[in-house]
Amino acid sequence: IAPHYEQPVVYVADASRAVGVVSKLLSAERREQFISETDAEYVDMRERFAQRDEEKKLLPLRDARRNALVTDWQAEPPAPAAMPGLHVIDDLPFEKLIDYIDWTPFFHTWQLRGKYPRILNDEKLGEQARQLFDDAQQMIQRFVAAPDIRARAVFGLFPASSVDGEDVQIFDPQSRDKLLATLPGLRQQAKLPAGKANLALADFIAPADAGVEDWIGCFAVTAGHGLDRLVAEFDAAHDDYNSIMAKAIGDRFAEAFAEYLHREVRTRYWGYAREETLETTDLIREKYRGIRPASGYPACPDHTQKPILWDLLEVEKHTGIALTESMAMWPASSVSGWYFAHPQARYFGVGSIGRDQIENHCKRRGMSVESAEKWLASNLAYTPSRAEPASTANAA
């Protein structure tokens, strides 16, 4: 950020350190020296970062593609057992989601590092964890009882084929001749040990010439409709604790909804795991077949995939979940992603990618390299050309 902005830019690893930084910036005696030292430190960091030569550690895209996952497609998933296409859940009772809650991230929200349920009996953290957990149960009951807080979802199952190495074509369930969307993907380019494939999510979808008809799913869920009104009540009463608690429980319910819906898809709608009988702990450990990666996460770090999903499922129409200009979901207590049923499907990180993949990706999408570099900045193994620093007015 600093090279693009005329005013001081300071990074702090934790919010608790911001007070000291602000004090120095406001101090007439210390301000200039602090800014000068910080700027010099950041110049050194940027220079060292630029000298990493990460591209030298990558395979050319053509070689990474040659090392894609090899699969016997004749043994892959059948068509959905029932009801392909679009499905809408307008108001799922929160009671159905309670057993699907993963509580460990809830405690992390409150900076209590430990796994549930062990943390409840931790020698140092147990008392505070138990109090938080009890308060969380009370907040859950508010969600259950509140008529204006709703859990909503839309999901769909569609015929699909992989193309161009990393892309997935998605078709109308009524006719494979009608292309609905193309999901662009990215491939790992790191030099991996012998026997390990350079993965792309498209590897988990059969190519058109494989002789089988494969499928893909996608979903969007929210537990946040009406939550803003409850949070506003707490904020108006200056009750920060319960305001944070309500948002934390909303997030847990959204993740629980995603887990609940994925099981419904595996066992009923797609039906490729009809005999599945996993306990909640096994679900949290992802011991089931298939994955549900979310756009913006390591396996598909491209946030610009989200509008494709939004159009395919008419997400805003069916659930009210909107996308901001930065591709964040609103309400915030929402989750979206893709369903892959391949038995070898697993989560992975695309990691660093080279110029050759960015240029190929942009050519396939009809997208400018500059735009792709902006959205995929954290995955670039090279330093793109930089624009001149923005003026204060423009930066503001």
Side-chain angles (χ1 to χ4, degrees):
I1 299 172
H4 298 271
Y5 190 56
E6 291 180 346
Q7 299 302 321
V9 174
V10 184
Y11 167 77
V12 292
D14 185 88
S16 63
R17 302 184 186 183
V19 175
V21 169
V22 172
S23 295
K24 292 175 183 176
L25 290 172
L26 293 176
S27 170
E29 295 80 16
R30 294 183 293 170
R31 174 183 168 85
E32 294 307 318
Q33 182 180 352
F34 174 68
I35 293 173
S36 177
E37 291 174 350
T38 301
D39 285 347
E41 178 187 357
Y42 290 1
V43 168
D44 179 63
M45 291 174 67
R46 285 193 296 274
E47 289 177 350
R48 285 188 282 113
F49 184 83
Q51 293 170 3
R52 295 172 304 159
D53 289 331
E54 281 203 17
E55 279 199 291
K56 294 180 180 178
K57 303 175 185 177
L58 301 182
L59 292 174
L61 178 59
R62 63 179 180 276
D63 292 342
R65 284 175 168 174
R66 291 191 190 109
N67 193 40
L69 182 71
V70 177
T71 294
D72 175 12
W73 289 110
Q74 300 303 317
E76 294 322 310
M83 301 173 285
L86 218 62
H87 303 270
V88 177
I89 300 175
D90 188 56
D91 191 4
L92 187 77
F94 282 103
E95 295 97 318
K96 289 191 174 185
L97 301 177
I98 294 173
D99 290 342
Y100 291 85
I101 293 177
D102 180 2
W103 284 104
T104 297
F106 167 80
F107 291 106
H108 291 180
T109 300
W110 301 91
Q111 301 299 309
L112 296 182
R113 302 297 175 181
K115 284 189 173 292
Y116 173 84
R118 290 198 306 270
I119 192 173
L120 298 178
N121 296 308
D122 184 89
E123 184 177 343
K124 295 181 179 179
L125 304 176
E127 182 177 355
Q128 188 177 1
R130 288 191 297 273
Q131 181 61 57
L132 274 171
F133 190 67
D134 289 344
D135 292 344
Q137 304 314 303
Q138 295 180 36
M139 186 61 68
I140 282 175
Q141 292 310 309
R142 293 197 68 156
F143 274 68
V144 170
D148 56 344
I149 304 179
R150 301 170 65 189
R152 304 173 71 184
V154 60
F155 67 99
L157 302 172
F158 303 92
S161 299
S162 59
V163 293
D164 294 332
E166 290 75 51
D167 294 348
V168 176
Q169 289 184 329
I170 303 172
F171 300 93
D172 190 320
Q174 306 305 318
S175 172
R176 276 187 173 263
D177 295 328
K178 183 178 180 181
L179 180 66
L180 297 180
T182 298
L183 177 66
L186 296 165
R187 183 173 299 279
Q188 294 174 317
Q189 284 187 263
K191 295 178 180 178
L192 301 174
K196 290 195 68 174
N198 288 82
L199 296 175
L201 286 173
D203 292 351
F204 305 137
I205 299 291
D209 60 1
V212 296
E213 295 186 348
D214 209 347
W215 292 71
I216 191 172
C218 50
F219 72 96
V221 303
T222 183
H225 278 292
L227 178 57
D228 55 342
R229 289 187 287 274
L230 178 61
V231 170
E233 290 179 18
F234 291 130
D235 290 342
H238 305 290
D239 187 348
D240 293 339
Y241 175 73
N242 274 307
S243 177
I244 295 171
M245 179 66 75
K247 286 181 270 191
I249 293 301
D251 290 345
R252 289 299 88 214
F253 268 131
E255 294 289 349
F257 200 171
E259 196 71 77
Y260 165 88
L261 188 59
H262 196 185
R263 170 179 262 183
E264 290 291 292
V265 167
R266 293 192 306 272
T267 60
R268 291 182 54 207
Y269 293 92
W270 200 330
Y272 64 84
R274 191 174 293 278
E275 306 303 319
E276 178 182 297
T277 56
L278 297 176
E279 300 293 334
T280 302
T281 52
D282 293 326
L283 296 179
I284 292 172
R285 293 172 186 164
E286 299 167 355
K287 290 189 175 182
Y288 43 76
R289 170 177 164 175
I291 57 174
R292 58 169 190 276
S295 297
Y297 279 68
C300 43
D302 186 1
H303 281 279
T304 65
Q305 289 180 346
K306 288 178 182 174
I308 298 171
L309 189 153
W310 252 245
D311 290 342
L312 194 61
L313 296 180
E314 298 183 278
V315 172
E316 190 163 359
K317 170 185 173 182
H318 292 303
T319 69
I321 309 171
L323 290 176
T324 70
E325 63 181 14
S326 61
M327 301 300 168
M329 290 176 285
W330 186 260
S333 296
S334 303
V335 180
S336 63
W338 305 89
Y339 293 133
F340 292 82
H342 193 296
Q344 292 175 266
R346 63 178 180 82
Y347 294 105
F348 62 91
V350 167
S352 296
I353 55 179
R355 284 183 177 87
D356 59 346
Q357 180 157 195
I358 285 290
E359 290 170 359
N360 184 276
H361 180 78
C362 291
K363 184 178 180 180
R364 301 193 320 265
R365 295 193 66 181
M367 185 181 195
S368 73
V369 170
E370 181 182 14
S371 179
E373 288 176 338
K374 169 190 170 184
W375 286 103
L376 296 168
S378 61
N379 291 88
L380 300 182
Y382 63 94
T383 303
S385 57
R386 300 293 185 186
E388 292 298 316
S391 67
T392 305
N394 289 338

